[in-house]
Amino acid sequence: MGERIFHWHHFVRTVWAVLAVWLAYGLIRLAIQPMLGWEPVGPDDWTRLLQVRNWLDGQGFWDVTQYRMNPPEGFSMHWSRLVDMPLALLALMFGETAAMALVPLVWLLPALLALRAIMLRLQFTPLAMAFGLVILPLFPLLPGNFAPMRIDHHAPQAVLALVCAALLIRTSRWSAVVCGICAAAWVVISLEGLPLVAVLAGLYGLRYWLNRQSLLPWFLGSLAIASAALSLTTRGPVEALYCDILLPGHMITFAAAAVISAIIPFLPWQDRAPVRLAALAGMGAVCLIMAASLLGPCATNPMAELEPVLQTYWHGYIAEGLPIWRQPVSVALMLLWTVAIIAFGWWRARGSGLFRPQGAEPAVSTLYALFALAAGGYSLLVMREGVVAQLLAIPFAALLLAEFLPRARAITAPLPRILATLAAVGLTTPLFASAFAKPLDQKFPVATMAPDVIALRQPGECRYDSLADLPAGLVLAPLDAGPEILGKSNHTIVAASYHRNQRPMADVLSALIGPVENARATIALYDAEYVVICGAAPDVALYRTANADNFANALVSGKVPRWLERLDAASEGPLQVYRVIR
């Protein structure tokens, strides 16, 4: 028995344990996928597929414009080819469906390897390591983002953040260099990662302040070089300055910070902690002023200048981009619970001695915890950052489980043992808190879950396969439906949910929420040939609340003007398809 336990303790620390967990998770997900379907999950997944298709069909590597949206100009996109590359490679090797099924699972492997590296560095017990490798499904935001067919860019961003955390708590210059490269890839994929990359820089600065460990120049230098290289190679020269991508102003600021941080150790009196802190603060102030000067209006939130109709009927209802006070109760509690797990797990681990890092530098556990807390705080402002926060919270949940679950299992009386076991699992992970709060979502609804909106949703679901049988033409459809229509047919669409293209987006929304005659003018302006609407879609139900006599209500009810002809062969259930009569 002792020999078997010894081998188990050894195995859980090896890469083989990671591979075993990864393979088991992947096989289970692939086994249940036929029940869920082999199509992209949402509009962004469909658009990612379209982007890869366009590239493989010959569209330029640097050109990610979606030309079938608002033709002939197309929709300008801020998306990065970095996310397209693994999809394109696997699509060429195994086919499109296999690529969409495998790529999210492929991203899971470096996440598990990073978790292993973090737990080894923090010297977790074997039991805590075992929990850390298997409890990912108990974090509500994670399984769906690493599920087959979920091919948007949120999983790659979160994985790069976790890898950065694993590198942050190492002490070598090479770890700082690789961390800078991963951080560069992160912000090239999405500028939304920039605040947490700034936190990484601050934590490297903390090391210098408290311990004179000069890794900050290596991190910032590789960040500056890699961000410029990745931006140039994957985007090409930036012809039009958009505020939603990494700009030359960002890169120059990174480079200036790297140079200043490399000079600081040679300044006088660097043996004194207050002087080191003053030097770092001065560097930060100089870089902030430089960034504000170079970036100008792009130093602010690019979503701040959306047209009012887009703020009201589009961005204001995209839950993943909203702060905690605009989330359903269950989601808000899940986000808060995740932060609490990080904070309580760190406090318990420090008190019980479960963290046993070596070295005189600022405790690596503190560096990791501060980064995780920053991600958790960020998720309270932008919900989708909860994917990063929940990945970073896994080690803390594993520590808490390793402490409390054995105590619960040691209780001799059956009923108390069962209750204690459920409490140990439920309180140390956010899944059960979110599930128990679910009934409160209806009692305290956010705008998109208001009773009048829910009441307007028709039963069933809409599949747009029938549109493939119609002659190709320009379709006016709600924003979320557009990408799937493009993926399943040869049609073009007026607009989809991509913020650089505000005019056609606002025109489509105004047509749907406004009077029928306004919609007719918009259809004539774009020369649309079809109008398509899904009465079961949440966004359509929202549009219908704007006005009882608006175009969306007319389309769903079938009380359409004479200049529209219902195509019965293509319309099914809540899906209504109309041809425009000239």
Side-chain angles (χ1 to χ4, degrees):
M1 183 69 169
E3 183 180 357
R4 224 182 309 170
I5 293 176
F6 171 79
H7 284 304
W8 176 82
H9 282 186
H10 173 72
F11 174 75
V12 78
R13 298 171 64 85
T14 66
V15 172
W16 295 111
V18 172
L19 292 174
V21 170
W22 176 65
L23 285 172
Y25 181 89
L27 290 173
I28 291 170
R29 290 305 312 225
L30 291 173
I32 66 175
Q33 196 60 36
M35 295 183 286
L36 304 175
W38 299 99
E39 291 184 349
V41 178
D44 281 353
D45 304 288
W46 277 106
T47 302
R48 179 66 63 186
L49 175 61
L50 294 171
Q51 188 159 301
V52 172
R53 282 180 180 175
N54 294 342
W55 179 25
L56 296 180
D57 287 342
Q59 187 166 318
F61 181 76
W62 287 347
D63 184 7
V64 294
T65 305
Q66 286 295 315
Y67 289 104
R68 292 172 63 204
M69 299 177 183
N70 188 31
E73 293 88 356
F75 259 37
S76 175
M77 302 290 290
H78 68 285
W79 287 4
S80 170
R81 287 290 189 204
L82 284 175
V83 182
D84 295 345
M85 289 178 183
L87 279 164
L89 177 62
L90 289 184
L92 288 172
M93 295 172 61
F94 304 114
E96 183 178 277
T97 301
M100 291 191 291
L102 293 175
V103 162
L105 298 174
V106 169
W107 280 115
L108 179 61
L109 181 57
L112 292 174
L113 289 170
L115 285 171
R116 172 184 175 268
I118 290 165
M119 293 186 291
L120 285 175
R121 179 74 177 101
L122 299 179
Q123 300 185 29
F124 276 27
T125 64
L127 182 60
M129 286 202 66
F131 284 137
L133 293 177
V134 301
I135 61 174
L136 181 144
L138 299 180
F139 286 78
L141 294 178
L142 301 184
N145 278 285
F146 291 100
M149 322 312 289
R150 188 67 172 174
I151 55 174
D152 67 13
H153 55 274
H154 298 311
Q157 288 176 243
V159 171
L160 287 166
L162 187 65
V163 171
C164 283
L167 293 164
L168 170 71
I169 59 177
R170 304 191 71 84
T171 58
S172 71
R173 290 176 176 177
W174 282 112
S175 65
V177 168
V178 178
C179 186
I181 295 171
C182 291
W186 183 5
V187 292
V188 166
I189 291 173
S190 175
L191 199 59
E192 209 169 75
L194 191 57
L196 291 180
V197 171
V199 171
L200 284 172
L203 293 174
Y204 276 111
L206 180 67
R207 281 181 145 175
Y208 179 69
W209 173 37
L210 296 181
N211 201 47
R212 297 191 68 180
Q213 193 171 58
S214 189
L215 297 177
L216 181 60
W218 298 92
F219 169 75
L220 290 173
S222 64
L223 173 65
I225 295 170
S227 61
L230 289 172
S231 293
L232 182 61
T233 55
T234 61
R235 295 191 190 279
V238 180
E239 296 180 358
L241 292 182
Y242 292 101
C243 294
D244 55 6
I245 61 172
L246 205 64
L247 297 172
H250 295 108
M251 303 172 209
I252 294 170
T253 303
F254 295 160
V259 171
I260 296 171
S261 65
I263 293 172
I264 285 176
F266 299 98
L267 296 178
W269 305 301
Q270 290 301 298
D271 56 329
R272 303 175 187 177
V275 176
R276 295 197 296 272
L277 178 60
L280 291 169
M283 180 190 80
V286 168
C287 291
L288 282 174
I289 294 170
M290 179 180 293
S293 175
L294 292 171
L295 294 172
C298 288
T300 60
N301 181 1
M303 294 292 187
E305 298 181 1
L306 287 175
E307 294 195 23
V309 69
L310 296 178
Q311 287 282 14
T312 304
Y313 288 98
W314 175 62
H315 188 258
Y317 294 96
I318 300 177
E320 68 176 30
L322 298 179
I324 187 171
W325 54 88
R326 298 188 62 182
Q327 299 295 336
V329 175
S330 61
V331 175
L333 183 60
M334 174 196 67
L335 296 174
L336 289 172
W337 209 274
T338 301
V339 177
I341 288 168
I342 296 169
F344 184 64
W346 181 32
W347 177 73
R348 288 296 302 175
R350 288 170 62 85
S352 63
L354 285 172
F355 276 152
R356 297 189 299 275
Q358 299 174 345
E361 60 173 316
V364 290
S365 61
T366 300
L367 294 173
Y368 183 80
L370 290 174
F371 186 55
L373 286 172
Y378 194 12
S379 74
L380 304 183
L381 300 176
V382 182
M383 189 273 276
R384 57 177 161 257
E385 293 302 320
V387 181
V388 176
Q390 291 198 347
L391 272 179
L392 292 168
I394 286 177
F396 297 100
L399 285 173
L400 293 173
L401 274 172
E403 180 181 0
F404 293 113
L405 192 57
R407 296 184 188 181
R409 300 305 300 160
I411 299 173
T412 55
L415 183 58
R417 181 173 66 248
I418 292 171
L419 293 176
T421 300
L422 292 174
V425 177
L427 293 174
T428 58
T429 57
L431 177 63
F432 298 100
S434 176
F436 289 144
K438 204 71 176 173
L440 296 176
D441 291 349
Q442 300 302 323
K443 295 184 179 296
F444 304 97
V446 294
T448 50
M449 299 174 64
D452 58 335
V453 176
I454 294 175
L456 290 173
R457 289 187 63 179
Q458 295 182 335
E461 63 176 315
C462 296
R463 299 180 60 83
Y464 299 94
D465 306 73
S466 60
L467 296 178
D469 297 327
L470 301 175
L474 180 64
V475 177
L476 187 144
L479 301 181
D480 286 348
E484 185 174 351
I485 291 173
L486 297 183
K488 291 185 171 181
S489 71
N490 291 322
H491 297 297
T492 54
I493 61 172
V494 176
S497 296
Y498 300 106
H499 64 267
R500 285 187 177 182
N501 312 276
Q502 292 190 37
R503 184 71 269 144
M505 290 174 64
D507 286 344
V508 168
L509 288 179
S510 297
L512 290 168
I513 67 174
V516 171
E517 287 308 309
N518 287 8
R520 185 177 189 179
T522 301
I523 289 169
L525 175 66
Y526 286 92
D527 199 21
E529 296 164 81
Y530 300 99
V531 177
V532 175
I533 198 164
C534 174
D539 57 340
V540 172
L542 177 64
Y543 305 153
R544 294 179 66 190
T545 63
N547 190 308
D549 298 325
N550 67 16
F551 191 47
N553 278 303
L555 293 172
V556 172
S557 66
K559 298 177 182 178
V560 298
R562 294 181 178 179
W563 46 270
L564 288 180
E565 174 192 4
R566 186 177 188 272
L567 301 178
D568 295 334
S571 303
E572 182 179 355
L575 178 64
Q576 305 292 328
V577 181
Y578 300 94
R579 176 185 285 119
V580 178
I581 301 173
R582 303 299 179 189

